[in-house]
């Protein structure tokens, strides 16, 4: 996913093991990136490129002229099953394989518009109708499509446009009389019904403004920082002798305050891991749904109505505008390399895109720095005349120890401002000396193979769009850009951010919906990267598309450092586990208060895995044999026996969950209550399985409309989640969001989600939107708490 596919990694590592010892030493002892690249790339042979090409051909990224018909038929099957979302995705796959201005693409757009209409996405449906007509939708089928257009316009209360469309349809029917029993008669009958709808809706009031959906997500920084782009004036950029750059509070900060709101300088959609395809037709045409089918490859907006690249079937966008922007910025070069980039991994793709975007900035100094390194000259930090204060940190407190001194902060421009630009990205540490020789060899060989493909595909590609400050002769040398790409590839291990989102599962027909966090993309955020790690952070990070938002999770005093978590969190890992993770991936030992003050965990394990005595209810303690913590109680039991009981209970809970998903609510409740009774006999009240049972019961009672009981069980689940994951974790955020929904729904119709189509007051709608957005404030992940990778 991040790194190349396993086959290429294994191939390169075997190649490394067969290199002469002198060659391995040369790579291992190389002091500059240019030396690493030149030593490694000299070993890339034609057979290596052929092997990589075979791997790349396993990805279907070109346009197959036979695919649109297949996907349209598969989409029709889902449509008949009333699975309109999957039908829309399959039609989109057909669109992505179609050439512009063909019947194939027009039919796929038209069919997708029907699915979108059934899903109530009328504006998007209209867009697809327009696309179908633009690409030459067959004349014989147009009346049905225009009738759908009129229905959308009526629903959207665009009555004047609807009347005009209906008038055009009537003219069409008059000009082409048809037999009474034909489908045209059915269309005419539907047309009459539609005209009656227009007459009935002419005096209806306008719907409540949907701008309220942006009332919380669209919050901007109240006062932007003059020295750090995308940051509030509540923080400043400083340097620490040990930690390097860091953000410090310039005033007392209250919980929830917005500190950073930054758009990714670069982001690449995560294709996700897919199991091997079965043999046969589907080995060519995949019907499974991935993130690439649901999210715009440019802005990461969720959509069922993708607009494809005209040159490949992989890149898809939410609009023509995003497609055009991506083409101009980078995709015109990436388009023919889709299979290779999927093989080499997301990090290599990000590294290439970063280098391509450098063309659109004044990169003269950056290129000069790369060339200086190639020529074994010292690479200087960016010229900056900003003033910073040096601070000494003692037990988490900031104390000023010296006078303000003049220094240079990497990434700042001549005026001392740190911006979201290529210069800031280039200044991020690559930690070249800390990466293993094998990893550097893998990265360098991958970059070398990519550059050879770039050179073969379009030699002048990288020079196009460069400003006059950079001479074509200089940039035509791909070695310059190869070294830059290698630098970025090594930077990403410590500086890449996992962009996450909440994905909902279950159809509208299902009584039980579920949601979970997924990793959507990998991005580079120069300002967010300034934050240092803490295992107990004082901020939370969330994402809306490509925009990262950092808010204070607790009160932060003036002068304190702003922290977030790179992944290892005190509520999820022991101190030893966290230190090992941080040392192996980020190359430092953590000295945050959570690590400094942590006490060794009891032998009985964490509280969410604890057992209790069946006799006196006290917690059990011990290793292989557990004894009651109550000295007056003689009970003891083997851990293996208890583990077996847990497995049996988990199977029973799973059966209750299946009953719940199948809509057998009363049976599910009775089953789960028995499970809870069994759990109480030997599990602690904070055990993870107990929390799972309480959550399932809350869902069941919510589906029945018993909001009071649902809230009671959900509050018990909350207690377990807080102990297990922490008060500001994504899991806690999910539970709080569900509890808010239950409490909100308790005063109205028993539905599981807020439905904007119901008759709600503006106040209710506003509250519902705020509750929904609150979920995003907790978006972190067990491995991506920061969410750094």
């Amino acid at each position: 996913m991040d790194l190349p596919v396993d086959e290429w990694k294994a191939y390169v590592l075997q190649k490394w093991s067969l290199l002469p010892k002198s060659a391995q030493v040369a790579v291992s002892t190389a002091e500059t990136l240019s030396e690493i690249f030149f030593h490694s790339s000299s070993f890339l042979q034609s057979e290596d490129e052929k092997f990589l090409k075979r791997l790349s051909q396993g990805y279907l990224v070109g346009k197959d002229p036979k695919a649109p018909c297949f996907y349209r038929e598969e989409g029709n099957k889902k449509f008949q099953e009333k699975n309109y979302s999957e039908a829309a995705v399959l039609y989109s796959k057909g669109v992505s394989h179609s050439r512009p201005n063909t019947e194939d693409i027009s039919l796929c757009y038209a069919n997708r518009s029907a699915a979108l209409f059934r899903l109530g996405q009328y504006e998007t449906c209209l867009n697809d109708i327009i696309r179908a007509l633009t690409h030459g939708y067959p004349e014989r089928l147009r009346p049905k499509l225009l009738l759908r257009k009129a229905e959308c316009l009526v629903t959207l209360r665009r009555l004047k446009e609807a009347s005009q469309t209906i008038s055009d349809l009537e003219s069409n029917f008059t000009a082409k009389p048809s037999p009474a029993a034909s489908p045209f008669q059915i269309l005419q009958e539907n047309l009459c019904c539609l005209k009656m709808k227009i007459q009935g809706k002419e005096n209806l009031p306008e719907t409540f403004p949907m701008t309220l959906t942006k009332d919380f997500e669209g919050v901007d920084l109240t006062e932007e920082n003059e020295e750090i782009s995308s940051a509030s004036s509540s923080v400043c950029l400083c340097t620490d002798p040990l930690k390097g750059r860091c953000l410090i509070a310039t005033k007392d900060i209250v919980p929830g305050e917005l500190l950073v709101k930054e758009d990714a300088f670069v982001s690449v959609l995560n294709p996700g891991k897919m199991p091997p395809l079965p043999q046969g037709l589907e080995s060519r045409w995949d019907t499974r749904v991935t993130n690439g089918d649901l999210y715009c490859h440019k802005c990461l907006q969720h959509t069922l109505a993708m607009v494809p690249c005209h040159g490949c079937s992989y890149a898809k966008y939410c609009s023509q505008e995003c497609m055009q922007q991506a083409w101009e910025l980078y995709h015109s070069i990436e388009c023919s390399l889709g299979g290779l980039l999927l093989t080499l991994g997301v990090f290599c793709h990000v590294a290439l895109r970063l280098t391509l975007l450098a063309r659109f900035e004044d990169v003269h100094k950056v290129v000069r720095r790369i060339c200086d390194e190639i020529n074994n000259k010292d690479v200087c930090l960016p010229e900056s005349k900003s003033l910073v204060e040096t601070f000494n940190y003692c037990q988490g407190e900031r104390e000023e120890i010296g006078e303000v001194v003049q220094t240079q902060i990497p990434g700042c421009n001549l005026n001392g401002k740190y911006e979201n630009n290529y210069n800031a990205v280039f200044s991020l540490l690559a930690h070249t000396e800390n990466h293993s020789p094998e990893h550097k060899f893998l990265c360098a060989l991958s970059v070398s193979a990519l550059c050879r493909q770039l050179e073969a595909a379009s030699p002048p590609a990288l020079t196009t769009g460069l400003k006059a400050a950079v001479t074509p002769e200089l940039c035509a040398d791909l070695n310059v850009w190869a070294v830059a790409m290698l630098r970025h590839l090594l930077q990403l291990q410590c500086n890449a951010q996992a962009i996450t989102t909440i994905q909902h599962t279950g159809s509208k027909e299902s009584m039980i919906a579920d949601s979970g966090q997924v990793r959507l993309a990998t991005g580079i955020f120069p300002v967010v990267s300034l934050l240092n790690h803490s295992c107990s952070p004082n901020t939370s990070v969330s994402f809306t598309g490509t925009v990262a938002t950092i808010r204070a999770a607790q009160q932060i005093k003036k002068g304190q450092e702003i922290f977030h978590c790179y992944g290892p969190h005190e509520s999820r890992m022991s101190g030893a586990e966290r230190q090992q993770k941080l040392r192996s991936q980020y190359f430092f030992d953590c000295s945050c208060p959570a690590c400094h003050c942590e006490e060794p965990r009891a032998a009985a394990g964490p509280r969410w895995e604890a057992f209790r005595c069946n006799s006196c209810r006290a917690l059990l303690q011990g290793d292989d044999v557990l004894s009651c913590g109550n000295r007056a109680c003689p009970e003891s039991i083997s851990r293996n026996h208890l583990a077996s009981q847990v497995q049996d209970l988990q199977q029973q809970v799973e059966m209750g969950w299946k009953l719940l998903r199948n809509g057998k609510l009363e049976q599910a409740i009775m089953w789960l209550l028995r499970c809870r009774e069994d759990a109480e006999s030997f599990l602690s009240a904070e055990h993870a399985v107990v929390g799972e049972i309480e959550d399932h019961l809350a869902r069941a009672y919510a589906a029945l409309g018993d909001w009071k009981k649902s809230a009671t069980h959900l509050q018990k689940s909350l207690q377990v989640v807080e102990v297990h994951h922490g008060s500001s974790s994504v899991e806690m955020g999910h539970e709080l969001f569900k509890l808010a929904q239950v409490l909100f729904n308790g005063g109205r119709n028993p539905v599981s989600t807020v439905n904007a189509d119901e008759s709600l007051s503006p106040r209710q709608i506003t509250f519902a939107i705020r509750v929904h957005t609150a979920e995003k404030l907790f978006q972190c992940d067990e491995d991506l708490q920061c969410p750094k990778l």
Side-chain angles (χ1 to χ4, degrees), residues 21 206 270 317 347 354 422 481 548 566 656:
K21 189 67 176 178
E206 289 296 317
N270 178 7
Y317 307 95
F347 277 4
L354 282 167
Y422 186 76
W481 299 101
Y566 291 2

Side-chain angles (χ1 to χ4, degrees), residues 486-771:
L486 179 58
R487 177 182 180 86
H488 297 319
L489 200 50
L490 296 178
Q491 285 175 328
L492 288 168
Q493 179 168 319
C494 296
N495 293 286
Q497 302 283 332
I499 300 174
T500 59
T501 190
I502 301 296
Q503 266 187 5
H504 300 275
T505 59
S507 64
K508 286 186 176 181
E509 290 75 23
S510 175
M511 299 188 71
I512 302 298
D514 202 0
S515 64
Q517 189 185 47
V518 296
R519 179 176 159 192
L520 184 57
T522 297
I524 281 287
F525 298 83
V527 177
V528 174
S529 292
L530 294 172
L531 274 71
N532 286 318
H533 166 80
S534 172
C535 299
S536 180
N538 51 18
T539 62
S540 64
V541 184
S542 63
F543 295 91
T544 303
T546 58
V547 176
T549 301
I550 295 180
R551 294 180 181 272
Q554 57 188 250
Q555 187 170 357
I556 304 173
K557 296 288 187 181
K558 178 181 178 180
Q560 287 184 338
E561 186 174 353
I562 312 297
F563 292 104
H564 67 171
C565 181
Y566 291 2
H569 194 280
E570 66 168 339
S571 65
R572 291 185 170 90
M573 299 181 183
S574 67
E577 291 173 318
R578 299 198 305 270
Q579 293 289 359
Q580 190 278 330
K581 174 79 171 177
L582 292 167
R583 197 176 295 120
S584 63
Q585 182 170 351
Y586 298 100
F587 313 119
F588 71 87
D589 293 316
C590 184
S591 58
C592 72
C595 290
H596 186 72
C597 304
E598 183 173 75
E599 297 179 0
R601 285 182 177 171
R607 292 157 64 188
W608 58 87
E609 295 178 359
F611 301 101
R612 64 180 178 183
C613 176
N614 191 30
S615 300
C616 68
R617 322 307 292 164
L619 291 180
L620 297 176
Q621 298 176 349
D623 294 319
D624 295 337
V625 177
L626 301 178
S627 303
C628 182
N630 180 4
R631 294 181 178 179
C633 180
E635 289 290 326
S636 64
I637 191 169
S638 75
R639 184 178 292 276
N640 287 338
H641 178 74
L642 291 171
S644 177
Q645 280 188 270
V646 171
Q647 287 182 349
D648 292 341
L649 179 60
Q650 286 174 326
Q651 292 177 359
Q652 296 300 311
V653 173
E654 180 62 27
M655 292 179 68
W657 173 244
K658 288 181 180 178
L659 290 171
L660 187 58
R661 292 300 299 263
N662 293 331
K664 300 177 181 179
L665 303 179
E666 288 83 1
Q667 288 179 255
I669 290 173
M670 291 179 62
W671 192 279
L672 290 168
L673 286 174
R674 285 199 297 270
C675 289
R676 189 180 71 166
E677 185 177 348
D678 292 341
E680 289 174 345
S681 67
F682 72 103
L683 297 180
S684 72
E686 296 166 339
H687 197 283
V689 175
V690 174
E692 185 180 358
I693 295 170
E694 297 291 353
D695 181 77
H696 292 348
L697 284 168
R699 291 169 185 263
Y701 281 116
L704 287 174
D706 192 335
W707 307 108
K708 186 176 180 180
K709 286 185 178 179
S710 177
T712 299
H713 288 288
L714 202 51
Q715 285 169 332
K716 293 179 180 178
S717 173
L718 267 170
Q719 295 171 5
V720 178
V721 170
E722 185 170 9
V723 168
H724 190 180
H725 299 288
S727 59
S728 61
S729 64
V730 62
E731 292 82 4
M732 192 65 177
H734 279 217
E735 295 303 306
L736 287 170
F737 176 56
K738 287 191 289 186
L739 180 60
Q741 281 187 306
V742 167
L743 296 174
F744 175 62
N745 289 338
R748 59 182 184 84
N749 294 331
V751 295
S752 61
T753 57
V754 176
N755 189 339
D757 292 335
E758 295 184 20
S759 180
L760 304 179
S761 70
R763 184 169 175 271
Q764 287 175 313
I765 293 176
T766 305
F767 172 74
I769 293 165
R770 287 183 180 276
V771 167

Side-chain angles (χ1 to χ4, degrees), residues 143-410:
K144 186 175 182 179
L145 194 63
L146 291 175
L147 182 65
R148 188 178 303 140
K149 177 182 178 182
E151 289 183 280
C152 286
L153 292 169
V154 169
T155 306
L156 294 169
R157 294 184 173 84
R158 291 158 59 177
L159 304 183
K160 188 177 292 186
E161 296 174 70
S163 297
Q164 181 59 51
T165 303
I166 288 172
S167 177
D168 295 341
L169 266 172
E170 289 178 322
S171 300
N172 185 288
F173 289 148
T174 303
K176 297 180 180 179
S178 54
S182 74
F184 280 97
Q185 183 180 11
I186 299 173
L187 286 175
Q188 286 176 315
E189 292 172 358
N190 290 339
L191 191 57
C192 292
C193 295
L194 195 56
K195 289 172 70 175
M196 294 176 64
K197 280 186 180 181
I198 290 181
Q199 294 171 1
K201 291 197 175 189
E202 282 177 345
N203 298 318
L204 285 178
E206 289 296 317
T207 55
F208 190 75
M210 291 311 294
T211 52
L212 275 175
T213 60
K214 306 292 184 183
D215 75 331
F216 200 75
E217 292 182 6
V219 171
D220 290 320
L221 297 166
T222 53
E223 187 177 345
E224 192 161 346
N225 198 306
E226 295 181 357
E227 296 183 353
I228 314 170
S229 68
S230 308
S232 80
S233 58
S234 300
V235 300
C236 67
L237 175 59
C238 298
T239 57
D240 178 86
L242 298 177
K243 298 180 181 179
R245 298 174 299 183
C246 54
L247 293 182
I248 303 294
T250 59
K251 67 178 186 66
D252 289 346
I253 297 172
V254 298
E257 184 174 337
L258 182 60
L259 302 179
V260 175
K261 187 174 184 180
E262 182 183 23
D263 198 357
F265 182 73
V266 157
S267 64
V268 171
L269 191 73
N270 178 7
K273 286 188 175 180
M274 298 293 288
L277 280 166
Q279 295 297 316
L281 183 64
E282 286 197 353
S283 63
R284 293 175 57 200
W285 301 323
D286 192 0
T287 58
R288 293 167 297 181
V289 180
T290 67
N291 286 341
D293 300 313
L294 299 173
Y295 295 90
C296 174
H297 289 221
K298 171 67 170 61
C299 70
L300 304 183
Q301 177 181 321
H302 182 276
T303 180
L304 291 174
M306 289 292 191
V307 177
C309 166
H310 293 324
C312 69
S313 63
Y314 176 70
K316 309 179 188 77
Y317 307 95
C318 66
S319 65
Q320 187 73 22
E321 291 74 22
C322 273
M323 183 188 73
Q324 189 62 35
Q325 289 174 17
W327 183 264
E328 292 172 356
L329 291 172
Y330 46 77
H331 191 64
S332 58
I333 296 170
E334 297 176 355
C335 186
S336 63
L337 304 172
L340 179 61
L341 292 171
L342 288 170
T343 304
L344 293 179
V346 172
F347 277 4
C348 203
H349 197 163
V350 172
L352 170 63
R353 193 167 288 182
L354 282 167
T355 311
L356 294 176
L357 288 182
R359 300 173 301 154
F360 299 96
E361 295 190 20
D362 185 2
V363 294
H364 177 69
K365 291 181 180 177
V366 175
V367 174
R368 188 181 66 197
R369 290 164 68 190
I370 302 172
C371 292
D372 285 345
E373 182 168 309
I374 291 175
N375 296 323
N376 292 321
K377 296 179 181 179
D378 291 331
V379 180
C380 299
L381 294 175
E383 297 174 6
S384 172
K385 298 183 179 179
S386 60
L387 298 179
V388 298
E389 295 174 316
T390 302
F391 298 99
N392 179 38
Y393 292 83
C394 180
Q395 297 180 351
E397 295 294 326
R398 166 186 178 265
E399 297 176 359
E400 187 171 339
I401 63 170
E403 298 179 354
V404 176
V405 296
Q406 185 171 329
T407 187
Q408 297 172 331
I409 299 184

Side-chain angles (χ1 to χ4, degrees), residues 25-257:
V25 171
V27 175
S28 303
T29 58
E31 296 182 355
T32 65
L33 288 170
S34 57
E35 290 175 347
I36 294 170
F37 176 74
F38 292 136
H39 284 307
S40 301
S41 61
S42 64
F43 294 104
L44 182 66
Q45 306 297 322
S46 59
E47 57 266 27
D48 305 332
E49 294 183 81
K50 289 177 182 177
F51 179 77
L52 188 57
K53 185 177 180 180
R54 286 199 300 271
L55 294 177
S56 303
Q57 289 172 341
Y59 295 95
L60 181 60
V61 294
K63 290 186 182 293
D64 188 333
K66 296 181 181 179
C69 181
F70 168 79
Y71 283 121
R72 197 165 66 250
E73 291 175 356
E74 292 298 310
N76 290 343
K77 294 176 186 176
K78 293 296 181 181
F79 191 95
Q80 291 167 3
E81 296 169 4
K82 297 185 178 181
N83 190 339
Y84 303 120
S85 294
E86 284 196 34
V89 171
L90 289 166
Y91 293 139
S92 292
K93 287 178 179 285
V95 168
S96 68
H97 279 278
S98 303
R99 294 290 178 185
N101 303 315
T102 60
E103 184 171 302
D104 276 336
I105 196 170
S106 68
L107 291 173
C108 288
Y109 275 135
N111 285 14
R112 193 172 73 183
S113 74
L116 295 169
F117 182 84
R118 295 300 181 94
L119 290 168
Q121 298 186 23
Y122 302 113
E123 286 283 3
T124 313
C125 174
L126 279 175
N127 292 335
D128 265 4
I129 291 171
I130 294 170
R131 291 177 183 128
L133 295 171
T134 301
H135 286 280
Y137 191 65
E139 189 72 31
R140 68 185 186 278
L141 301 175
R142 289 197 175 198
K144 186 175 182 179
L145 194 63
L146 291 175
L147 182 65
R148 188 178 303 140
K149 177 182 178 182
E151 289 183 280
C152 286
L153 292 169
V154 169
T155 306
L156 294 169
R157 294 184 173 84
R158 291 158 59 177
L159 304 183
K160 188 177 292 186
E161 296 174 70
S163 297
Q164 181 59 51
T165 303
I166 288 172
S167 177
D168 295 341
L169 266 172
E170 289 178 322
S171 300
N172 185 288
F173 289 148
T174 303
K176 297 180 180 179
S178 54
S182 74
F184 280 97
Q185 183 180 11
I186 299 173
L187 286 175
Q188 286 176 315
E189 292 172 358
N190 290 339
L191 191 57
C192 292
C193 295
L194 195 56
K195 289 172 70 175
M196 294 176 64
K197 280 186 180 181
I198 290 181
Q199 294 171 1
K201 291 197 175 189
E202 282 177 345
N203 298 318
L204 285 178
E206 289 296 317
T207 55
F208 190 75
M210 291 311 294
T211 52
L212 275 175
T213 60
K214 306 292 184 183
D215 75 331
F216 200 75
E217 292 182 6
V219 171
D220 290 320
L221 297 166
T222 53
E223 187 177 345
E224 192 161 346
N225 198 306
E226 295 181 357
E227 296 183 353
I228 314 170
S229 68
S230 308
S232 80
S233 58
S234 300
V235 300
C236 67
L237 175 59
C238 298
T239 57
D240 178 86
L242 298 177
K243 298 180 181 179
R245 298 174 299 183
C246 54
L247 293 182
I248 303 294
T250 59
K251 67 178 186 66
D252 289 346
I253 297 172
V254 298
E257 184 174 337

